[in-house]
Amino acid sequence: MGPLVLNTRPKTDSADLEASLQTRGYRVLSAPMLEIEFPAQTRPFDPTPYQALIFTSANGLRAFARLSQDRYQTALCVGDATARLAADMGFNRIESANGDIHDLAALIRERISPAMGPLFHPAARKTAGDLGEILRDGGYQIDRQTVYTAHASQTLPQQILDAIAAHHIDAVLFFSPRTAETFVKLVKSYKLEGELTDTCAICLSPAVQLRTADLTWQRTHVASKPTQEYLLSILDQSFSSV
């Protein structure tokens, strides 16, 4: 029987992850820390002013699909998983930064001329970084539009509470600072902060790890690159060394 892993990603992002975990021999519990809401769009979207589209998450792609059927622009994607979804949705010109928002900014500087026109960035109300600010000194015009909202969970399922209290969970996966922050707040609200001393925190980046620091873990591990593939690799390494 493999280690028991708690997945905290939203349901919209979990199917591929949970399939990969099960293929690797892990048992999986899920407690989404964020619920994704796609509000109805009240005005038509005109893509013609934009030379390219920026996708910092798969949910940004899903939201864009509700805005427009156009797929002719270049899709600039933060990572390979988002790029694969873009391909599935019919985009033909796709660039992947295979990293985080800073890698995506570097890709934009390398491949896109600001003189050719603005870029459209469908995003959440709250984001892990401000791409427009990062690229401001390069003269890029980025039109960021809120197209979905991520609501923080207010509770933990009873099954998860029982598993934490019984020290049954071997690892918790964290993909974003907000997800980690929400989990920590909920654990504290249930007064379970001392019950994770046998559990590993597996974090996508140092910024994510920082948000887990208020809890006492057996160990924390950070993926060497901020992608799902690297996070799963560090998860495997954490148990192969035990």
Side-chain angles (χ1 to χ4, degrees), residues 16-28:
D16 177 64
L17 171 63
E18 293 184 3
S20 295
L21 288 167
Q22 291 166 355
T23 298
R24 284 170 148 84
Y26 296 103
R27 294 173 294 138
V28 182

Side-chain angles (χ1 to χ4, degrees), residues 52-103:
L53 309 172
I54 299 171
F55 297 112
T56 49
S57 72
N59 286 315
L61 262 167
R62 296 181 183 106
F64 179 81
R66 295 166 178 257
L67 286 175
S68 173
Q69 298 301 312
D70 292 295
R71 302 290 185 266
Y72 62 85
Q73 292 108 331
T74 298
L76 303 165
C77 301
V78 68
D80 289 352
T82 304
R84 286 193 294 269
L85 181 59
D88 291 343
M89 287 185 171
F91 286 94
N92 292 316
R93 294 189 295 169
I94 302 168
E95 299 277 359
S96 171
N98 191 29
D100 60 13
I101 192 170
H102 297 284
D103 297 305

Side-chain angles (χ1 to χ4, degrees), residues 5 9 15 20 35 40-41 59 62 76 89 112 115 118 123 135 142 151 200 204 224 238:
V5 174
R9 294 197 92 180
S20 295
E35 180 182 353
Q41 300 300 321
N59 286 315
R62 296 181 183 106
L76 303 165
M89 287 185 171
I112 300 295
L135 290 169
I142 297 176
H151 300 286
C200 296
L204 190 71
S224 57
S238 70

Side-chain angles (χ1 to χ4, degrees), residues 43-223:
R43 60 186 176 91
F45 172 73
D46 178 12
T48 54
Y50 302 106
Q51 63 162 316
L53 309 172
I54 299 171
F55 297 112
T56 49
S57 72
N59 286 315
L61 262 167
R62 296 181 183 106
F64 179 81
R66 295 166 178 257
L67 286 175
S68 173
Q69 298 301 312
D70 292 295
R71 302 290 185 266
Y72 62 85
Q73 292 108 331
T74 298
L76 303 165
C77 301
V78 68
D80 289 352
T82 304
R84 286 193 294 269
L85 181 59
D88 291 343
M89 287 185 171
F91 286 94
N92 292 316
R93 294 189 295 169
I94 302 168
E95 299 277 359
S96 171
N98 191 29
D100 60 13
I101 192 170
H102 297 284
D103 297 305
L104 180 56
L107 175 69
I108 292 170
R109 288 191 180 100
E110 178 184 346
R111 301 294 177 85
I112 300 295
S113 167
M116 297 301 293
L119 308 170
F120 182 66
H121 180 200
R125 189 175 304 278
K126 294 182 179 180
T127 61
D130 188 337
L131 195 58
E133 185 63 31
I134 295 171
L135 290 169
R136 187 179 304 279
D137 62 352
Y140 292 92
Q141 179 184 343
I142 297 176
D143 183 0
R144 175 176 149 184
Q145 181 175 327
T146 297
V147 291
Y148 71 95
T149 302
H151 300 286
S153 176
Q154 300 300 310
T155 61
L156 284 171
Q158 188 60 48
Q159 181 187 21
I160 305 304
L161 295 174
D162 293 342
I164 293 174
H167 292 219
H168 287 167
I169 297 175
D170 297 297
V172 184
L173 307 185
F174 296 111
F175 282 79
S176 73
R178 192 173 177 211
T179 295
E181 180 180 27
T182 301
F183 180 82
V184 169
K185 286 182 178 178
L186 288 175
V187 167
K188 287 183 174 181
S189 73
Y190 288 103
K191 302 188 185 306
L192 292 170
E193 53 263 52
E195 305 299 332
L196 292 163
T197 54
D198 296 324
T199 304
C200 296
I202 310 296
C203 305
L204 190 71
S205 69
V208 176
Q209 183 188 36
L210 184 63
R211 301 299 179 93
T212 69
D214 283 350
L215 300 180
T216 301
W217 303 89
Q218 183 183 55
R219 293 183 305 278
T220 59
H221 300 278
V222 180

